[in-house]
Amino acid sequence: MSLDPAHMSGESRPPRSVSPVNVPGIVLALIAIFAGIHWLRTSWLSPENDVWTLVNFALIPGCYSDLDQVCALRESWAGLISPLSHAFLHGDWTHFATNAIWLLAFGTPVARRLGTGGFLIFSALGAMAGAALFYALNPTLIQPMIGASGVVSALMGGAARFALGSMGRLQSSDVAYAPRLSIRQSLSDRTILFFILIFFGTNLLLGSAGGAIFGEAGAIAWEAHVGGFLFGFLGFALFDRRQHIWQERF
């Protein structure tokens, strides 16, 4: 197994001054925005205004086909923006903190690799991919779905293509600049494969028992997790500005 030089042409070396643990400003800014929105909802908005915010900015799948009483309260533009805007709302501070921690961990290498613009586009599409699968599996559900889990899961899937594998770590002291593995190579790496199995196993468990454990209001939107992860893992190469990839030679 070797690197194909053709995929290395025109690539600049990673800056030596960048620390592997340095968090990009865009990641911190996104976490701050999530925190600020939740603080405004919990500290400043009246209960009526918070309900209006939730009804209009959360993803409510059933409102795309039903005229439920809740859906009748939505503004005309709500259905257009909620596949993305739902990611900016959280149920409580624990929900926010959980997503913030994972965003910090997996958003850091992805943001450093893709840059600010690429990171934002990738994250936005991850949120919408999570929303799409959630809608596909729950088309009549009226209960709002909120949270940045689709974003975080997309970042997990993207990071799995370069930051988790043992081959990448051997080739780069900074995982943000490690070689990108193909899908086949990623699934052949034990570390990545174990990570994927844990991810899907945990979400299947939450999907089957989450409602019973946390109650209907605290049910985990595992569909959004899976949708975001599949988008991030399968589609990461479309956003990766570093074109080199491990090549297998037989």
Side-chain angles (χ1 to χ4, degrees):
M1 182 178 295
S2 62
L3 284 176
D4 188 342
H7 291 268
M8 297 291 288
S9 60
E11 292 293 341
S12 59
R13 294 182 179 276
R16 296 180 181 275
S17 59
V18 174
S19 168
V21 296
N22 196 29
V23 181
I26 187 58
V27 175
L28 296 177
L30 194 56
I31 292 174
I33 291 172
F34 289 157
I37 290 175
H38 190 68
W39 177 73
L40 287 173
R41 286 184 58 212
T42 57
S43 301
W44 287 91
L45 292 186
S46 65
E48 294 78 12
N49 286 333
D50 188 48
V51 169
W52 181 89
T53 299
L54 189 64
V55 167
N56 285 288
F57 292 94
L59 181 76
I60 308 178
C63 288
Y64 287 97
S65 58
D66 192 5
L67 294 179
D68 183 88
Q69 183 177 1
V70 172
C71 302
L73 300 175
R74 301 190 99 192
E75 303 290 346
S76 58
W77 42 261
L80 295 175
I81 68 169
S82 58
L84 175 61
S85 61
H86 76 277
F88 291 85
L89 305 177
H90 291 85
D92 53 33
W93 284 110
T94 300
H95 187 201
F96 157 76
T98 301
N99 279 332
I101 291 171
W102 291 117
L103 179 59
L104 192 67
F106 291 95
T108 294
V110 174
R112 290 178 57 197
R113 189 177 183 100
L114 299 184
T116 298
F119 171 79
L120 289 175
I121 295 172
F122 184 79
S123 297
L125 292 176
M128 290 187 280
L133 186 59
F134 187 86
Y135 170 80
L137 298 180
N138 304 279
T140 62
L141 184 68
I142 297 299
Q143 181 180 345
M145 190 275 283
I146 58 176
S149 298
V151 175
V152 170
S153 297
L155 295 172
M156 288 181 174
R161 294 288 299 276
F162 68 93
L164 301 182
S166 57
M167 288 184 289
R169 292 196 300 270
L170 289 174
Q171 286 293 310
S172 177
S173 59
D174 185 346
V175 294
Y177 299 97
R180 185 183 74 244
L181 305 182
S182 68
I183 293 175
R184 176 184 176 185
Q185 291 160 350
S186 298
L187 296 177
S188 299
D189 186 282
R190 292 184 180 181
T191 301
I192 299 174
L193 184 60
F194 181 74
F195 174 76
I196 293 174
L197 291 175
I198 290 295
F199 178 88
F200 279 92
T202 301
N203 278 282
L204 289 176
L205 178 63
L206 291 174
S208 60
I213 296 174
F214 302 107
E216 183 178 355
I220 306 299
W222 62 271
E223 303 93 332
H225 298 192
V226 172
F229 187 91
L230 289 175
F231 163 78
F233 183 77
L234 299 176
F236 181 75
L238 299 176
F239 302 85
D240 189 12
R241 62 186 179 183
R242 299 183 62 80
Q243 297 299 318
H244 64 279
I245 182 172
W246 278 84
Q247 299 293 306
E248 291 182 324
R249 297 185 184 277
F250 297 94

